[in-house]
Amino acid sequence: MVDKKLNQFTLEDVVRRKIHFTNTNTIFNRADFENDYEGELLAYNEMLEDIKEMNEIEFVDKYIKKIRKLGVQFENRAFTEERDIERMSGYNNAIVSILKCIDPIHEFDLDDYI
């Protein structure tokens, strides 16, 4: 961990730390959360690339749309295998965790954003 001044700490730093934690944490049994972690890592890596290219509004819009699409898929039971449900839940939760860093309202008020 680099000891940066907090005014130099970026969203990219947050995502990189979440990736590191997901890959190395020993708090939970990895086997129990393997599918969740796979989904989280997929989302974090996608967001890491987008952070480098997008402005805030583009980024938030893109990921809110992804969450909405996932919500519809969950409602329609598009995922039937437990592995897929866990993986997409991890993906969804990772996106929400980063959107909350941008603005905490994204945890609660996603429908009113766009």
Side-chain angles (χ1 to χ4, degrees), residues 24-77:
T24 63
N25 95 70
T26 57
I27 297 169
F28 305 107
N29 181 344
R30 282 205 70 79
D32 292 342
F33 295 96
E34 184 175 338
N35 298 321
D36 293 281
Y37 292 160
E38 183 182 331
E40 287 179 32
L41 290 171
L42 178 63
Y44 291 141
N45 283 304
E46 285 179 16
M47 290 186 285
L48 195 56
E49 290 303 312
D50 287 338
I51 285 169
K52 296 173 187 176
E53 303 295 325
M54 295 179 158
N55 65 37
E56 178 181 349
I57 292 172
E58 290 172 317
F59 183 89
V60 170
D61 286 349
K62 176 179 180 174
Y63 286 97
I64 285 179
K65 287 175 184 171
K66 284 182 177 265
I67 289 173
R68 286 184 174 165
K69 182 178 178 182
L70 275 173
V72 169
Q73 290 174 312
F74 277 118
E75 284 178 19
N76 293 335
R77 302 194 191 294

Side-chain angles (χ1 to χ4, degrees), residues 3 7 10 24 33 35 55 63 78 80 88-89 100 102 114:
D3 189 20
N7 67 350
T10 67
T24 63
F33 295 96
N35 298 321
N55 65 37
Y63 286 97
T80 56
M88 297 317 292
S89 291
K100 285 178 6 184
I102 295 170
I114 296 177

